[in-house]
Amino acid sequence: MLKTPGWEWMIVVYFFVGGIAGGAYFTAALADTFGTRRDGTVTRVGYLLALPLVALCGILLIADLGVPTRFMNMLRVFKFWNPMSIGAWGVGIFGLFSVVSAGLSFSERLATLRRGVGLVGMIFGFFLASYTGVLLSTTAQPFWGEARLMGALFLASGASTGMAAVSLVLLLIGGATGEGWRKIRWADRSSMVIELVVLGVFLAALGAAARPITTGHFAPLFWGGLVGAGLLVPLGLDIVAHRVKVVGALSAVLVLVGGFVLRYVVLMSIQS
Amino acid sequence: MARTLAMFTDTSLCIGCRACQVACKQWNELGQEVPEWTGTYQNHAHFTDKTFRLVRFIEEPKPQGQMAWLLMSDVCKHCADAGCLNACPTGAIERTAFGTVNINQDVCNGCRYCVSACPFGVVTFNHDTGTAHKCSFCNDRIHNGLGPACAKACPTESIQFGFRDDLVAKATKRVAALQAMGFKEAQLYGADSQGFLGGLNAFFLLLAKPATYNLPDNPQVPQRNVVRDSVFSLGSALLVGLGAIFAFRRRGEGKESDHA
């Protein structure tokens, strides 16, 4: 007799875009701090990608409210044990960091400041990519409420999709020459492997509770669209031939499709 | 804080007249709804945004082949530790001085997290107002010294209103009496303030197992998992972060020295 919240397509898109924004931002920050000067393009692309995406997140979140004009009411209170409350604050703070980092990404003179800002902002990037999963796992719903690793899975997916999105932009602007491309593809592969492992543990821990996605109407999309086409195929392609740009790009597109399918099947399976 | 108020619904006294359901609709000005076929005399199947008191009609097959009615006037439980109240990010859902849980319609912005967080499926989103709705324990009435409309209208005292401690004492005696009369499964649901959800401020006397009434055996506040789930997310963040650091660092050093 439980009631579902009716978080449908706008929230599916928000979860997907928020994962990419967070993933792109923390990839940019880590590349900036731990990479070489030649990784500057990855950093710039990551920050400049995160900014419009987090803006889109804000628009989607507000538009999905029952009374959008009251969105500021989210900032009346702060409940640290409540993912919806810290989420509203977190998206806002991440947005501020995205603005500052995107601005600083154009300046080499302020590189030290940019790295400092990036390392703090990165925390909110990780937060944005994962809190949406914890939001679902702290509901009274079947499947969602039992999925202790929902946040961990969304975070790994945010990382892999964020890195895939950065790869694609690199390719489109012609910045995919040499090591930047190889590094981001390597990082993306590591995220895919982590996502596969987390997904395996996620399913094993859930057992029968995962049936809304592993069996029935959503199963073909889950197994085919996420596990197969969204993780195993791009991982295989990337390992074999990531030096071939077209293959790397195809792999990145598939990872993005998989990330979307993950949010879609998780949200819609128990709400339809 | 005032003494906690409560409603005690003794289902053994319910005759299924639905006076409570109608009184609730009238007092709270809840509009009409299109009835739905539920296969029983019950209408509606669940709580809606316009049905806050709902008499459940459950037909139980007896060993002799007859059917027995189990009637239960269901309502928001006003949990002492409420999932909806924990979930509300705007402060619209508030605990009143009487211990009841109320949604302030002027503050709710319709995020619907409370809908997903109620272990009983009580809170309902209203598409017209764009906000979440549920039983307010007749907040206006109790602040003016009146009992909730449903309890007032009940002709059999199946729904009783009063101070929680008084009602729990009464309910405990009643359940013992029923058991002595042969109702073996008679039991209280939510009366124990040490039990699930810190006790329910609208608690029940049931004549069968909670599952028979579609009530969960051991409902929990969903937010209890926040810390654990966040720690797992942090672990995942460390793994992908280390992967990225390794990717940029390892290749970087090699290449840089090539060009040095």
Side-chain angles (χ1 to χ4, degrees):
Chain A
M1 296 284 185
L2 294 169
K3 288 207 176 73
T4 55
W7 291 330
E8 294 181 354
W9 72 267
M10 277 199 271
I11 300 302
V12 173
V13 176
Y14 162 61
F15 281 14
F16 174 63
V17 172
I20 298 175
Y25 189 100
F26 65 67
T27 305
L30 290 172
D32 201 11
T33 303
F34 294 96
T36 63
R37 208 180 312 142
R38 291 157 57 93
D39 299 323
T41 324
V42 172
T43 301
R44 197 168 306 129
V45 166
Y47 285 150
L48 292 179
L49 194 58
L51 180 59
L53 292 182
V54 71
L56 178 59
C57 287
I59 292 167
L60 286 165
L61 279 178
I62 292 169
D64 193 65
L65 290 175
V67 190
T69 51
R70 291 187 189 164
F71 77 94
M72 286 295 281
N73 286 6
M74 293 281 193
L75 309 183
R76 287 176 77 237
V77 288
F78 177 76
K79 294 183 174 177
F80 63 88
W81 65 94
N82 176 344
M84 183 69 87
S85 178
I86 50 176
W89 286 95
V91 173
I93 295 169
F94 179 73
L96 294 178
F97 273 97
S98 299
V99 171
V100 173
S101 294
L104 290 174
S105 72
F106 292 104
S107 167
E108 265 318 300
R109 277 194 308 123
L110 298 171
T112 314
L113 176 65
R114 186 185 64 226
R115 285 190 194 107
V117 169
L119 286 179
V120 181
M122 182 176 83
I123 297 166
F124 294 94
F126 280 120
F127 171 79
L128 177 61
S130 59
Y131 97 88
T132 51
V134 180
L135 180 84
L136 297 183
S137 68
T138 53
T139 63
Q141 307 292 316
F143 171 44
W144 293 355
E146 291 154 277
R148 299 280 65 82
L149 290 179
M150 193 74 92
L153 179 63
F154 278 22
L155 189 131
S157 171
S160 67
T161 52
M163 291 165 185
V166 171
S167 312
L168 282 177
V169 175
L170 274 180
L171 197 69
L172 288 174
I173 62 168
T177 47
E179 67 186 288
W181 169 262
R182 284 203 301 277
K183 285 174 169 182
I184 189 86
R185 294 314 307 149
W186 198 99
D188 202 5
R189 284 195 297 283
S190 82
S191 296
M192 281 185 248
V193 171
I194 293 163
E195 187 178 348
L196 270 170
V197 172
V198 173
L199 182 60
V201 181
F202 172 90
L203 291 177
L206 277 171
R211 272 186 304 202
I213 57 169
T214 56
T215 63
H217 187 60
F218 287 86
L221 202 51
F222 172 70
W223 295 109
L226 172 62
V227 180
L231 281 172
L232 292 174
V233 171
L235 188 59
L237 284 177
D238 220 67
I239 288 172
V240 174
H242 62 93
R243 277 163 212 277
V244 184
K245 296 274 151 57
V246 182
V247 177
L250 176 64
S251 163
V253 169
L254 288 174
V255 169
L256 287 170
V257 171
F260 187 84
V261 167
L262 170 66
R263 295 346 185 269
Y264 179 81
V265 296
V266 165
L267 276 169
M268 301 309 287
S269 59
I270 66 161
Q271 295 197 100
S272 55
Chain B
M1 188 160 160
R3 270 170 89 190
T4 303
L5 294 178
M7 275 192 279
F8 166 45
T9 305
D10 180 347
T11 68
S12 70
L13 296 176
C14 181
I15 55 172
C17 69
R18 281 192 279 224
C20 51
Q21 206 170 316
V22 173
C24 174
K25 279 242 177 199
Q26 293 206 324
W27 184 266
N28 294 296
E29 297 176 286
L30 304 173
Q32 67 172 20
E33 296 166 274
V34 179
E36 51 188 317
W37 170 247
T38 61
T40 75
Y41 286 88
Q42 181 177 324
N43 222 303
H44 294 265
H46 312 294
F47 293 111
T48 71
D49 53 350
K50 298 187 187 74
T51 299
F52 302 160
R53 252 293 173 189
L54 174 65
V55 180
R56 298 195 186 278
F57 289 69
I58 296 144
E59 285 165 285
E60 273 277 283
K62 287 271 181 183
Q64 300 85 356
Q66 308 130 303
M67 300 294 274
W69 284 115
L70 285 175
L71 303 163
M72 177 211 183
S73 179
D74 202 357
V75 70
C76 169
K77 314 315 182 265
H78 296 270
C79 315
D81 193 5
C84 63
L85 195 152
N86 278 297
C88 181
T90 63
I93 304 188
E94 61 206 359
R95 170 104 34 213
T96 69
F98 296 112
T100 58
V101 179
N102 186 37
I103 303 178
N104 185 337
Q105 291 298 324
D106 295 331
V107 176
C108 174
N109 67 9
C111 78
R112 315 194 286 293
Y113 191 32
C114 54
V115 176
S116 73
C118 174
F120 302 104
V122 166
V123 190
T124 313
F125 182 66
N126 178 314
H127 289 271
D128 298 326
T129 61
T131 55
H133 290 242
K134 74 169 192 73
C135 158
S136 70
F137 211 102
C138 284
N139 200 41
D140 48 354
R141 291 176 62 98
I142 58 174
H143 279 87
N144 287 285
L146 299 165
C150 55
K152 197 82 180 170
C154 180
T156 65
E157 294 192 336
S158 171
I159 304 172
Q160 298 176 39
F161 161 74
F163 293 115
R164 192 173 196 280
D165 40 9
D166 295 345
L167 288 177
V168 170
K170 206 185 250 185
T172 309
K173 276 191 202 131
R174 172 71 182 161
V175 81
L178 281 167
Q179 279 169 346
M181 285 158 69
F183 292 92
K184 295 269 181 323
E185 287 197 325
Q187 57 191 283
L188 295 180
Y189 186 80
D192 182 3
S193 59
Q194 305 299 313
F196 56 76
L197 303 171
L200 309 178
N201 290 337
F203 62 95
F204 299 83
L205 187 158
L206 306 177
L207 291 177
K209 286 192 278 291
T212 309
Y213 299 88
N214 254 314
L215 292 167
D217 282 325
N218 188 26
Q220 298 287 326
V221 177
Q223 288 79 12
R224 75 193 186 284
N225 292 312
V226 164
V227 173
R228 186 170 31 160
D229 295 6
S230 303
V231 169
F232 287 138
S233 303
L234 196 62
S236 184
L238 284 175
L239 286 178
V240 299
L242 285 174
I245 290 170
F246 191 67
F248 282 95
R249 188 168 187 136
R250 196 181 67 128
R251 304 297 178 93
E253 281 167 357
K255 276 284 165 186
E256 191 109 293
S257 55
D258 287 351
H259 292 270

